[in-house]
Amino acid sequence: AQSVTQLGSHVSVSEGALVLLRCNYSSSVPPYLFWYVQYPNQGLQLLLKYTSAATLVKGINGFEAEFKKSETSFHLTKPSAHMSDAAEYFCAVSAGGTSYGKLTFGQGTILTVHP
Amino acid sequence: EAGVAQSPRYKIIEKRQSVAFWCNPISGHATLYWYQQILGQGPKLLIQFQNNGVVDDSQLPKDRFSAERLKGVDSTLKIQPAKLEDSAVYLCASSSNTGGTEAFFGQGTRLTVV
């Protein structure tokens, strides 16, 4: 069984400040981990993914995440927030293989960026 | 490359009515998923198809929900009869079995049951 916990349903930062969105996972098998972003009335867009290669993963729009097995964490960061980063972010886990699209999602974190 | 297409984008129905959603995955993607996203929650998997066969439908409320994927391409998800608690966004996603490690999502269908 797999599960994801996102700490903080809402995060607010100033433009130019560090963005840190927290994600902890539970998995009985080596996990594949993903961060997706969702803009209002849109589908999910993949930001980045961890698939058992490098533990520090770089994604689109300046985001990155680090897989820490000892902490069962996969936190998302961006050094400097931009107004366009305001959206909802979802962390997700899958068992990989031929079912890496079979995802268990966290409850989401809404990121607000203020001037 | 065309993305995952879904229709309609929005649907409003009364409770006890029926409704159907359509999904066209990315060309060549063998695996197709339907997710339900209730407001304020993360998406939840309803059903997974591999080609035209069901791999996992353990979380599909089979008394009212049904899904099919004819010829291993397009898929439809049906609700009959709808309940108020079915109000949600229904997301379709597809993935390839021959490379790549991600699922691609459509824009979703927002269903409101009144």
Side-chain angles (χ1 to χ4, degrees):
Chain A
Q2 299 177 307
S3 66
V4 172
T5 301
Q6 291 183 237
L7 300 175
S9 58
H10 290 81
V11 170
S12 180
V13 300
S14 298
E15 191 173 21
L18 172 71
V19 175
L20 171 60
L21 305 182
R22 299 177 187 273
C23 171
N24 288 90
Y25 71 91
S26 173
S27 178
S28 56
V29 298
Y32 282 40
L33 293 160
F34 305 81
W35 276 99
Y36 283 88
V37 61
Q38 187 175 39
Y39 298 99
N41 299 316
Q42 298 294 317
L44 297 168
Q45 179 184 9
L46 182 69
L47 277 178
L48 49 80
K49 58 188 177 184
Y50 167 77
T51 57
S52 75
T55 57
L56 182 61
V57 180
K58 294 187 183 299
I60 63 171
N61 301 339
F63 285 94
E64 64 181 36
E66 186 172 7
F67 172 69
K68 293 186 176 181
K69 184 178 179 180
S70 61
E71 299 177 8
T72 61
S73 69
F74 190 57
H75 301 331
L76 181 71
T77 61
K78 181 174 180 178
S80 177
H82 192 272
M83 297 294 289
S84 61
D85 295 327
E88 189 162 17
Y89 293 79
F90 292 94
C91 181
V93 63
S94 82
T98 58
S99 295
Y100 42 78
K102 185 177 177 181
L103 299 161
T104 300
F105 285 88
Q107 66 270 44
T109 298
I110 296 173
L111 176 66
T112 302
V113 182
H114 51 86
Chain B
E1 178 180 77
V4 176
Q6 291 188 247
S7 67
R9 286 295 313 277
Y10 305 92
K11 189 76 175 179
I12 301 174
I13 63 171
E14 295 182 349
K15 59 183 179 184
R16 292 187 290 273
Q17 286 187 323
S18 63
V19 64
F21 314 126
W22 173 82
C23 173
N24 179 239
I26 292 173
S27 177
H29 280 192
T31 309
L32 185 147
Y33 311 84
W34 282 102
Y35 285 84
Q36 179 192 57
Q37 184 179 16
I38 294 172
L39 185 64
Q41 300 180 17
K44 182 186 78 171
L45 180 70
L46 291 175
I47 189 167
Q48 175 188 358
F49 290 95
Q50 178 80 12
N51 296 309
N52 61 350
V54 175
V55 175
D56 183 357
D57 63 356
S58 59
Q59 297 194 78
L60 188 72
K62 299 180 189 60
D63 57 332
R64 297 183 300 106
F65 286 65
S66 65
E68 61 181 6
R69 190 182 183 196
L70 299 176
K71 301 181 181 179
V73 183
D74 293 4
S75 177
T76 57
L77 176 69
K78 297 179 182 178
I79 308 175
Q80 183 180 13
K83 293 185 176 182
L84 296 177
E85 58 261 35
D86 298 331
S87 294
V89 175
Y90 291 85
L91 295 164
C92 179
S94 69
S95 62
S96 169
N97 288 3
T98 58
T101 53
E102 68 180 272
F104 295 84
F105 284 80
Q107 291 191 301
T109 296
R110 180 177 297 276
L111 173 68
T112 303
V113 182
V114 297

